C-alpha cells in the first residue's frame, strides 16, 4: 500500500529540479576536467609524453583526485538525492530550498577556491593531502567550504524526510527517501573526521597559528572519513539498483526490509574501519589494526545481500517473461537500454572490485599490495566503474526528466556506446594496474620513472602503456558523456521522461518498524565508533612524537 | 524479518567464507606473530642522526637476537641511506627505518617488505629474505617532485655461489 502513496507524486518539482540540475552542471564539468587530468596522467606515465608549460605530474594528479573523487561524486550525489527526495516525499518548502541553494553555492565557492590553489601549484598535496606536506591555507579552507556546503545541502533533505514521517504517522517511509536519509547520516558522521582534521589541525597550521601538526593523528582522522567516503559514493549506486533498475526491467522490488537492512548495516559498519588503510603504518597497535580488519569484513555482508537481491530480481523478471532453464532469464534483460546496461556493467565490476577490497583490507595480505598500483586498479573498478557507470545510467533519464526533455533512441544508443567504451577502457586499464601492482609491486601515485634502469621497473613499462590505452578509451567515453549531458539538458526534444521508481513486490513481507528507528541505529553506530577508535586515538595522542613542521617546498 | 530459503544459504555461505578467512588472518597475526609494521617507537625527526641506531645507517650483523641482521635506514626527500642493501639469502632480517622529513614509503617491489615511514616514528619489520635476486626498493608514498626518482636496491645473494658464472 505504501507505494501507491508514493506514486501520487510523479514528477520532481520544477524548482527542486533546478537545484538538482545546478549540482549536475558542476559534477559534469568536474568529470570533463578531471577526466582530462586522468588522460594526461596515463600518457605521461607511458613514457611517451611530457607535460608542457611546466605543469607538474602531481599537480595533474591532485586535480584528477579532487575533481573526480570529491567534486564529481559529492555534487552528483546531492543532486540525485534532492531529486529523489522531491519525487518520493514531496517538494522542499521554499525555506528548505533556500538552504539547499546556500549549500550549493558554498560548495561551488569552495571548489573554485581549492581548484585555483591547485592550478597555481600551491596545493600539490594530492587528494589525500597528507601532512606534513603543507598546502596553501586557501586550499584547506576551500575544502572546508565543500564539506560545510554539503551539510547545508543535506539539511533540507533530512528536514523534508522527517516532515513526511510526521505527516504520515505509522506508515513505512518510501524506500528511496529512507536510503537517501541513511546516506546523509553516513556522510555527516564521516565528514566529522575530516572536519576535525582540517579545522583543528591543518588549517591553523597552514595559517601559521600553530607550528606543528601530529601527522599520524591527522591521517587517522582522514581515514575515519576516507573509507566511509567510498560508501557515500556506493550507496547512491545501490539506491539506483534497488529502486530504479527493477522498474526499468519491468520488475518489482524484491524485499523492502532487506534493502533497508543492507543500508543500515552500511551505516553502522562503514565508519569504524578507516584504520585498514593504515595497516603498514607505525604507531598503531597490531591488535587494534586487526579489530578494524574484522569490522571491515562485516561491511561485505550488506553487499552480499545486495548481490542476492539484484540477481533475484533479474531472474524473477526473466522467468515472468517466460524464459526457461537455469540461465535463460539472462537473455530476457533489456540490454539495449542504457538506463539498465550501465548500472548492470557497474554491478558486474563490483564482483572483482569487492573481492580486491577484501585483499586490501586483510591484515597481512595488505603488505603485498599497499600503495602499489593494484590499489588504483581496485578503486577504478569500484568507484570509477561501479559507481560512475550507475551514476551515468541515472543521469541519462534523470537529466531529461528534470529539464522536461526525453532520452531519444539515438541518445540512448550513444549511452550504450558509453557503457561499452567504459567497460573496455576500464578493463584494459584496471587489469594492467591489478596485475603489475600485485605481481610486480609497481607503485601508485608515481610519475614515469625508469628507476635507474632496474629490471623490475622495465617490466612495468608495458603495463603502463596498456594503462594509457585504457585511459584514452575512457577519455573518449567522457567526451561522449559530455555531449550526451549537453544534449539532454539543452537540446533533446521536449517531452516527459519517466522517473522510473519500482514498486514493492506484492509477495514482500511487511517491513519491521525497528528498521525505521534511527535512534536505535544511531546509538549502535556511536557505540561501534567509540569501540573502534577510542583506544587507538588515545594511544596515538599519548605516545606522540614531536609534531611536524610543514613542507611546501618539495613540489 | 522473513528471509528467503536460498537467501539464507547464500548468507551462511558468504558470511562463513569471511569468518574462515578472518580466522586464518587471525592465526597468522596472533599465533604466528605475523603483523604488518606496528612499531610504536618514536623519535625526534629533526635529529634522527643523533640517536641510535640511526647514527650508523647500513646493514649490520647482530648477535644474540632473534634475527641475524639489522638494516638501519634513513629516508629523506628524495633519497635512501644506505643506497644499496646487500643480504645473504635466508638471513633473518630486521628492517629499522625512519624519515627525516615528510612521509615516505619503503617497499621492496614484489615482496612483503612494505611499510610507511612517518616523521617521528620508527618503522620496523622482521622477515626472512629467502629468495635471491635484486629487488628494487621504491618510495610508494608521494613525497614531492622527486618521488618517482627515490629508490634503492635490495640485493639478496647466495654467498656460496658468488663466483659461479662470473
Amino acid at each position: 500500500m505504501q507505494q501507491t502513496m508514493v506514486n501520487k507524486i510523479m514528477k520532481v518539482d520544477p524548482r527542486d529540479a533546478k537545484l538538482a540540475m545546478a549540482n549536475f552542471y558542476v559534477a559534469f564539468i568536474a568529470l570533463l576536467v578531471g577526466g582530462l587530468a586522468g588522460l594526461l596522467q596515463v600518457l605521461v606515465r607511458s613514457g611517451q609524453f611530457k607535460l608542457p608549460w611546466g605543469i607538474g605530474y602531481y599537480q595533474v594528479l591532485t586535480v584528477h583526485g579532487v575533481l573526480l573523487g570529491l567534486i564529481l561524486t559529492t555534487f552528483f550525489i546531492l543532486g540525485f538525492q534532492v531529486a529523489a527526495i522531491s519525487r518520493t516525499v514531496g517538494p522542499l518548502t521554499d525555506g528548505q530550498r533556500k538552504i539547499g541553494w546556500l549549500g550549493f553555492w558554498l560548495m561551488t565557492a569552495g571548489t573554485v577556491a581549492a581548484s585555483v590553489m591547485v592550478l597555481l601549484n600551491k596545493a600539490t598535496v594530492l587528494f589525500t593531502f597528507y601532512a606534513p606536506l603543507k598546502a596553501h591555507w586557501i586550499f584547506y579552507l576551500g575544502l572546508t567550504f565543500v564539506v560545510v556546503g554539503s551539510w547545508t545541502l543535506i539539511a533540507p533533505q533530512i528536514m523534508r524526510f522527517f516532515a513526511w514521517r510526521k505527516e504520515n504517522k505509522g506508515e513505512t517511509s518510501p524506500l528511496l527517501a529512507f536510503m537517501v536519509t541513511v546516506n546523509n547520516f553516513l556522510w555527516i558522521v564521516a565528514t566529522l573526521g575530516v572536519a576535525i582534521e582540517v579545522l583543528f589541525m591543518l588549517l591553523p597550521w597552514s595559517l601559521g597559528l600553530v607550528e606543528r601538526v601530529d601527522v599520524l593523528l591527522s591521517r587517522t582522522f582522514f581515514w575515519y572519513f576516507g573509507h566511509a567516503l567510498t560508501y557515500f559514493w556506493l550507496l547512491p549506486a545501490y539506491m539506483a539498483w534497488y529502486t530504479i533498475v527493477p522498474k526499468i526491467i519491468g520488475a518489482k522490488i524484491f524485499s523492502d526490509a532487506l534493502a533497508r537492512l543492507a543500508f543500515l548495516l552500511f551505516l553502522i559498519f562503514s565508519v569504524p574501519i578507516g584504520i585498514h588503510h593504515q595497516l603498514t603504518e607505525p604507531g598503531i597497535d597490531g591488535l587494534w589494526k586487526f579489530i578494524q580488519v574484522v569490522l571491515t569484513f562485516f561491511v561485505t555482508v550488506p553487499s552480499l545481500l545486495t548481490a542476492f537481491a539484484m540477481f533475484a530480481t533479474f531472474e524473477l523478471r526473466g522467468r515472468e517473461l517466460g524464459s526457461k532453464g537455469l540461465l535463460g532469464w539472462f537473455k530476457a534483460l533489456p540490454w539495449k537500454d542504457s538506463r539498465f546496461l550501465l548500472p548492470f556493467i557497474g554491478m558486474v565490476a563490483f564482483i572483482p572490485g569487492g573481492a580486491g577490497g577484501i585483499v586490501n583490507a586483510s591484515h597481512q595480505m595488505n603488505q603485498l599490495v599497499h600503495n602499489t598500483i593494484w590499489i588504483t586498479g581496485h578503486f577504478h573498478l569500484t568507484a570509477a566503474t561501479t559507481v560512475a557507470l550507475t551514476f551515468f545510467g541515472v543521469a541519462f533519464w534523470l537529466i531529461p526528466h528534470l529539464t522536461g526533455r526525453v532520452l531519444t533512441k539515438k541518445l540512448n544508443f550513444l549511452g550504450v556506446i558509453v557503457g561499452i567504451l567504459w567497460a573496455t577502457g576500464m578493463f584494459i586499464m584496471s587489469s594492467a594496474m591489478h596485475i603489475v601492482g600485485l605481481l610486480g609491486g609497481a607503485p601508485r601515485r608515481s610519475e614515469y620513472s625508469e628507476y635507474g634502469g632496474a629490471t623490475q621497473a622495465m617490466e612495468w613499462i608495458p603495463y603502463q602503456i596498456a594503462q594509457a590505452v585504457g585511459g584514452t578509451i575512457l577519455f573518449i567515453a567522457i567526451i561522449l558523456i559530455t555531449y550526451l549531458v549537453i544534449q539532454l539538458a539543452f537540446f533533446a526534444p521536449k517531452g516527459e521522461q519517466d522517473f522510473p521508481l519500482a514498486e514493492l513486490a506484492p509477495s514482500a513481507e511487511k517491513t519491521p518498524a525497528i528498521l525505521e528507528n534511527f535512534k536505535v541505529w544511531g546509538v549502535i553506530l556511536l557505540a561501534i565508533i567509540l569501540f573502534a577508535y577510542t583506544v587507538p586515538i588515545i594511544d596515538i595522542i599519548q605516545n606522540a612524537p614531536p609534531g611536524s613542521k610543514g613542507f611546501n617546498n618539495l613540489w | 524479518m522473513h528471509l528467503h530459503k536460498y537467501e539464507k544459504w547464500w548468507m551462511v555461505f558468504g558470511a562463513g567464507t569471511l569468518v574462515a578467512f578472518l580466522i586464518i588472518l587471525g592465526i597468522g597475526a596472533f599465533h604466528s606473530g605475523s603483523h604488518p609494521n606496528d612499531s610504536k617507537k618514536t623519535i625526534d625527526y629533526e635529529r634522527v642522526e643523533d640517536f641510535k641506531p640511526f647514527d650508523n645507517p647500513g646493514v649490520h650483523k647482530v648477535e644474540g637476537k632473534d634475527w641475524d641482521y639489522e638494516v638501519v635506514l634513513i629516508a629523506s626527500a628524495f633519497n635512501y641511506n644506505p643506497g644499496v642493501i646487500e643480504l645473504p639469502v635466508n638471513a633473518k632480517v630486521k628492517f629499522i627505518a625512519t624519515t627525516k622529513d615528510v612521509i615516505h614509503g619503503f617497499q621492496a617491489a614484489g615482496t612483503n617488505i612494505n611499510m610507511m615511514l612517518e616523521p617521528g616514528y620508527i618503522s620496523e619489520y622482521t622477515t626472512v629474505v629467502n629468495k635471491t635476486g635484486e629487488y628494487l626498493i621504491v618510495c610508494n608514498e608521494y613525497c614531492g617532485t622527486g618521488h618517482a626518482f627515490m629508490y634503492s636496491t635490495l640485493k639478496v645473494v647466495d654467498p656460496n655461489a658468488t663466483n659461479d658464472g662470473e
Side-chain angles (χ1 to χ4, degrees):
Chain A
M1 284 304 109
Q2 45 184 312
Q3 294 292 332
T4 40
M5 177 71 216
V6 169
N7 285 336
K8 274 187 205 154
I9 312 154
M10 289 305 287
K11 250 188 104 64
V12 174
D13 184 278
R15 293 162 300 173
D16 295 335
K18 275 211 182 84
L19 178 56
M21 282 306 296
N23 280 279
F24 289 156
Y25 295 137
V26 179
F28 284 99
I29 293 169
L31 174 68
L32 186 63
V33 180
L36 178 63
L39 175 69
L40 294 176
Q41 276 174 70
V42 287
L43 291 180
V44 169
R45 213 175 172 181
S46 73
Q48 310 291 314
F49 176 81
K50 279 200 165 56
L51 288 168
W53 312 307
I55 302 171
Y57 176 84
Y58 300 105
Q59 205 181 344
V60 177
L61 182 53
T62 307
V63 171
H64 181 72
V66 171
L67 284 187
L68 298 188
L70 202 57
I71 303 306
L72 162 70
T73 47
T74 308
F75 277 87
F76 185 90
I77 290 164
L78 295 183
F80 173 45
Q81 292 190 165
V82 164
I85 285 286
S86 184
R87 168 68 175 76
T88 53
V89 290
L92 303 179
T93 65
D94 290 347
Q96 288 165 354
R97 199 172 300 113
K98 276 203 187 102
I99 300 172
W101 276 107
L102 175 67
F104 168 77
W105 285 113
L106 281 173
M107 281 167 65
T108 307
T111 304
V112 171
S115 307
V116 168
M117 297 328 286
V118 175
L119 293 176
L120 294 175
N121 204 20
K122 298 273 186 203
T124 303
V125 294
L126 309 196
F127 163 68
T128 41
F129 45 92
Y130 291 149
L133 289 170
K134 185 161 81 173
H136 195 282
W137 60 270
I138 292 178
F139 175 77
Y140 298 118
L141 189 68
L143 295 181
T144 308
F145 268 58
V146 173
V147 170
V148 173
S150 72
W151 294 343
T152 317
L153 186 45
I154 276 172
Q157 299 171 31
I158 293 180
M159 285 153 73
R160 187 66 205 106
F161 177 77
F162 284 98
W164 186 96
R165 292 237 309 212
K166 249 192 176 156
E167 293 156 15
N168 300 273
K169 275 220 178 336
E171 286 198 54
T172 311
S173 61
L175 181 57
L176 181 55
F178 171 85
M179 291 170 155
V180 167
T181 306
V182 170
N183 200 34
N184 284 336
F185 283 139
L186 188 157
W187 179 246
I188 291 167
V189 173
T191 44
L192 286 176
V194 75
I196 292 170
E197 183 197 9
V198 171
L199 286 176
F200 296 109
M201 302 181 81
L202 301 185
L203 202 50
W205 172 67
S206 67
L207 280 166
L209 300 176
V210 295
E211 193 193 14
R212 289 168 187 271
V213 72
D214 185 325
V215 171
L216 183 59
L217 189 61
S218 75
R219 292 174 62 84
T220 306
F221 280 123
F222 181 86
W223 283 118
Y224 166 100
F225 154 77
H227 197 80
L229 168 69
T230 67
Y231 290 103
F232 175 69
W233 300 334
L234 189 62
L235 290 195
Y238 276 29
M239 292 176 204
W241 296 359
Y242 274 111
T243 67
I244 310 289
V245 168
K247 177 75 175 181
I248 291 169
I249 66 171
K252 304 254 193 291
I253 296 170
F254 180 70
S255 163
D256 180 272
L258 188 68
R260 282 176 213 252
L261 179 67
F263 268 62
L264 289 167
L265 291 176
F266 275 120
L267 176 64
I268 60 173
F269 287 123
S270 62
V271 182
I273 60 176
I275 286 180
H276 80 247
H277 286 250
Q278 301 180 280
L279 291 175
T280 66
E281 289 183 38
I284 303 174
D285 196 81
L287 173 66
W288 285 97
K289 284 179 176 172
F290 193 82
I291 287 171
Q292 293 219 4
V293 166
V294 174
L295 290 172
T296 306
F297 275 41
F298 285 179
V299 104
T300 316
V301 172
S303 279
L304 290 172
L305 284 172
T306 304
F308 185 90
M310 287 305 104
F311 283 89
T313 308
F314 296 155
E315 183 179 346
L316 288 174
R317 177 60 184 161
R319 297 211 185 279
E320 208 176 279
L321 292 173
S323 46
K324 297 262 179 316
L326 191 60
L327 292 168
W329 50 273
F330 199 72
K331 273 193 282 187
L333 298 171
W335 299 107
K336 286 178 184 158
D337 189 336
S338 64
R339 303 171 307 160
F340 167 75
L341 179 69
L342 273 67
F344 184 86
I345 297 172
M347 286 177 207
V348 173
F350 205 61
I351 298 170
I358 294 285
V359 173
N360 304 339
S362 301
H363 203 55
Q364 303 94 338
M365 279 161 75
N366 176 263
Q367 272 184 294
L368 191 57
V369 293
H370 179 78
N371 269 349
T372 68
I373 201 159
W374 155 286
I375 303 290
T376 318
H378 162 71
F379 64 73
H380 277 83
L381 279 185
T382 50
T385 308
T386 302
V387 171
L389 277 183
T390 304
F391 285 3
F392 301 151
V394 166
F396 293 161
W397 56 261
L398 184 53
I399 290 177
H401 175 88
L402 297 175
T403 54
R405 297 177 188 275
V406 285
L407 176 68
T408 61
K409 255 192 161 168
K410 191 188 127 206
L411 293 173
N412 175 61
F413 176 71
L414 289 178
V416 169
I417 301 287
V418 164
I420 294 168
L421 282 176
W422 200 274
T424 313
M426 203 55 93
F427 179 76
I428 297 171
M429 187 174 92
S430 179
S431 306
M433 287 170 165
H434 273 99
I435 295 168
V436 74
L438 180 69
L439 302 179
R444 70 192 283 202
R445 299 185 184 123
S446 294
E447 71 171 304
Y448 181 74
S449 168
E450 294 180 1
Y451 295 98
T455 327
Q456 279 173 305
M458 291 301 121
E459 287 165 4
W460 298 340
I461 292 171
Y463 292 92
Q464 286 160 201
I465 291 171
Q467 287 160 31
V469 172
T472 307
I473 298 173
L474 286 166
F475 188 68
I476 295 168
I478 287 177
I479 291 174
L480 203 51
I481 293 165
T482 310
Y483 170 79
L484 267 167
V485 167
I486 293 171
Q487 285 293 320
L488 291 169
F490 304 106
F491 302 109
K494 300 248 176 196
E496 291 277 319
Q497 180 73 40
D498 186 27
F499 189 123
L501 193 59
E503 291 176 24
L504 190 58
S507 60
E509 303 275 322
K510 175 145 177 50
T511 304
I514 181 78
L515 292 177
E516 288 247 59
N517 192 332
F518 282 104
K519 278 182 199 133
V520 169
W521 295 95
V523 170
I524 298 173
L525 170 63
L526 187 68
I528 303 182
I529 291 175
L530 289 177
F531 166 69
Y533 273 106
T534 306
V535 176
I537 287 186
I538 289 176
D539 218 19
I540 289 167
I541 293 171
Q542 280 189 339
N543 191 36
S548 281
K549 293 176 182 171
F551 292 84
N552 57 6
N553 56 347
L554 291 175
W555 66 80
Chain B
M1 199 175 90
H2 172 79
L3 287 178
H4 193 279
K5 178 177 66 174
Y6 290 142
E7 182 163 29
K8 276 184 198 150
W9 293 0
W10 166 246
M11 288 312 296
V12 167
F13 170 75
T17 316
L18 291 177
V19 169
F21 192 36
L22 277 172
I23 290 171
I24 295 169
L25 291 179
I27 291 173
F30 298 103
H31 178 69
S32 316
S34 160
H35 283 283
N37 165 35
D38 60 353
S39 156
K40 285 157 92 173
K41 293 177 191 156
T42 58
I43 191 168
D44 181 346
Y45 78 94
E46 288 172 304
R47 298 170 41 221
V48 291
E49 277 123 336
D50 294 350
F51 303 102
K52 273 186 189 297
F54 297 103
D55 54 350
N56 184 20
V59 181
H60 309 298
K61 180 131 179 57
V62 292
E63 300 288 340
K65 295 189 178 172
D66 285 344
W67 48 88
D68 314 317
Y69 286 86
E70 282 179 359
V71 173
V72 178
L73 180 131
I74 302 173
S76 56
F78 305 103
N79 170 56
Y80 289 112
N81 177 19
V84 178
I85 298 166
E86 190 171 315
L87 291 165
V89 68
N90 293 328
K92 190 167 187 188
V93 188
K94 183 169 189 172
F95 292 89
I96 306 168
T98 194
T99 163
K100 284 162 72 171
D101 41 48
V102 292
I103 300 170
H104 297 287
F106 177 81
Q107 179 196 11
T111 76
N112 282 352
I113 304 163
N114 189 357
M115 52 192 184
M116 305 277 292
L117 312 180
E118 290 177 19
Y121 288 91
I122 298 169
S123 291
E124 294 181 338
Y125 183 64
T126 309
T127 190
V128 176
V129 286
N130 56 9
K131 227 174 130 189
T132 55
E134 275 198 20
Y135 299 90
L136 177 61
I137 293 173
V138 290
C139 177
N140 63 12
E141 184 59 89
Y142 168 67
C143 58
T145 38
H147 166 56
F149 304 97
M150 176 169 170
Y151 61 88
S152 64
T153 313
L154 168 66
K155 291 181 181 170
V156 181
V157 296
D158 185 348
N160 305 321
T162 333
N163 295 321
D164 288 359
E166 289 197 11

